[in-house]
């Protein structure tokens, strides 16, 4: 791998953690991607989060998770298709609306579809009030983390749902786009977020119906 993809300022524990992550990714994508591609995606993913990390100890884990998603996307772009539709939810911070939409989508679609999310100016953490509002419905989004989008992720998606990112949202010819006008939950209380959350659930369930994906019941809110 070209040394230009590796940072020269990493502590020993960070280098070891990234090396371990690279081995896991190599096993997961054996026969699809070589070591150079895997390490390039891993280290560029690390760079995406390095400037915003509150707890540097977790950076290699975030980089591995994001690199795994990006490699799945690249595999899809290169023709490795398992038949499941991919929906990408985009907003500004990837900390509220898009994370709630992803939570509903994954809960309802199960393994019948793939959901991803991203932000144009991704935040440091998921909005705690958004997490609490989702937890009220039994959906845990606390393990999610804000992330950007990348070229291969957008190209791999079948449907791109935008929520308030405006001109910053990526536009690719031939891609199906949906624009959901929703209030931004940033700075709002759990009480104020609930109507936003419920509207997101309605829209996710309508999207699943449009994609002909049977949706499991999540919170008693019926598709209108």
């Amino acid at each position: 791998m070209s040394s230009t993809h590796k940072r020269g300022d990493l502590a020993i524990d960070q280098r070891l953690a990234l090396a371990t992550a690279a081995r896991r990714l190599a096993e997961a994508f054996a026969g699809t991607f070589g070591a150079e591609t895997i390490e390039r995606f891993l280290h560029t993913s690390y760079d995406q989060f390095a400037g915003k990390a509150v707890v540097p100890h977790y950076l290699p884990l975030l980089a591995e998770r994001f690199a795994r998603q990006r490699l799945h996307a690249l595999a899809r772009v290169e023709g490795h298709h398992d038949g499941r539709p991919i929906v990408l939810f985009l907003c500004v911070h990837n900390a509220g609306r898009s994370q709630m939409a992803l939570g509903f989508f994954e809960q309802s679609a199960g393994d019948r579809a793939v959901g991803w999310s991203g932000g144009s100016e991704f935040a440091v953490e998921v909005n705690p009030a958004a997490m609490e509002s989702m937890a009220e419905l039994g959906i845990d989004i606390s393990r999610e983390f804000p992330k950007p989008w990348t070229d291969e992720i957008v190209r791999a998606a079948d449907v791109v749902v935008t929520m308030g990112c405006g001109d910053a949202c990526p536009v690719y010819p031939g891609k199906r786009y949906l624009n959901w006008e929703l209030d931004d939950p940033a700075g709002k209380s759990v009480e104020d977020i609930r109507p936003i959350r419920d509207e997101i659930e309605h829209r996710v369930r309508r999207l699943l119906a449009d994609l002909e994906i049977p949706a499991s019941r999540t919170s008693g809110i019926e598709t209108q």
Side-chain angles (χ1 to χ4, degrees):
M1 183 184 86
S2 170
S3 60
T4 59
H5 299 303
K6 291 186 177 182
R7 297 170 64 100
D9 59 348
L10 297 180
I12 292 176
D13 61 335
Q14 298 281 289
R15 291 201 299 269
L16 290 174
L18 285 171
T20 300
R23 287 195 294 271
R24 284 195 291 260
L25 291 171
E27 292 175 0
F29 292 94
T32 303
F33 298 118
E36 181 175 352
T37 297
I38 287 170
E39 291 197 8
R40 173 165 56 86
F41 272 63
L42 178 61
H43 283 267
T44 55
S45 294
Y46 184 99
D47 289 343
Q48 294 272 13
F49 299 102
K52 295 191 175 188
V54 176
V55 184
H57 176 73
Y58 292 112
L59 272 171
L61 177 60
L62 294 181
E64 180 181 356
R65 290 178 63 186
F66 190 45
R68 187 180 297 272
Q69 178 178 313
R70 293 176 61 199
L71 289 165
H72 276 300
L74 182 61
R76 170 70 173 267
V77 170
E78 294 186 350
H80 301 276
H81 198 325
D82 63 8
R84 295 181 297 168
I86 296 176
V87 176
L88 174 62
F89 299 98
L90 301 178
C91 67
V92 178
H93 302 300
N94 191 216
R97 290 166 291 188
S98 55
Q99 294 286 6
M100 289 190 287
L102 179 64
F104 281 124
F105 187 85
E106 292 185 331
Q107 179 83 358
S108 297
D111 61 3
R112 297 180 293 276
V114 177
W116 294 330
S117 69
S120 56
E121 301 173 16
F122 70 101
V124 173
E125 64 179 2
V126 175
N127 183 337
M131 286 193 289
E132 184 176 342
S133 74
M134 295 295 286
E136 290 178 343
L137 303 183
I139 299 176
D140 182 9
I141 61 172
S142 64
R143 293 189 69 255
E144 292 298 328
F145 59 100
K147 63 190 78 66
W149 61 69
T150 60
D151 176 77
E152 66 280 344
I153 286 175
V154 181
R155 289 171 61 201
D158 296 294
V159 180
V160 179
V161 179
T162 61
M163 300 178 236
C165 47
D167 292 340
C169 285
V171 177
Y172 286 66
K175 192 69 59 183
R176 181 185 176 189
Y177 285 88
L178 298 174
N179 183 45
W180 291 357
E181 295 288 346
L182 297 160
D183 289 339
D184 189 346
K188 289 182 168 57
S189 67
V190 174
E191 181 178 3
D192 290 333
I193 288 175
R194 287 179 188 132
I196 304 172
R197 174 202 67 191
D198 294 346
E199 177 61 23
I200 290 173
E201 180 176 15
H202 280 306
R203 295 184 186 223
V204 167
R205 293 173 74 84
R206 287 198 296 268
L207 173 58
L208 288 167
D210 188 46
L211 294 173
E212 298 183 346
I213 298 171
S216 61
R217 194 179 184 89
T218 57
S219 66
I221 297 176
E222 297 296 337
T223 303
Q224 300 294 317

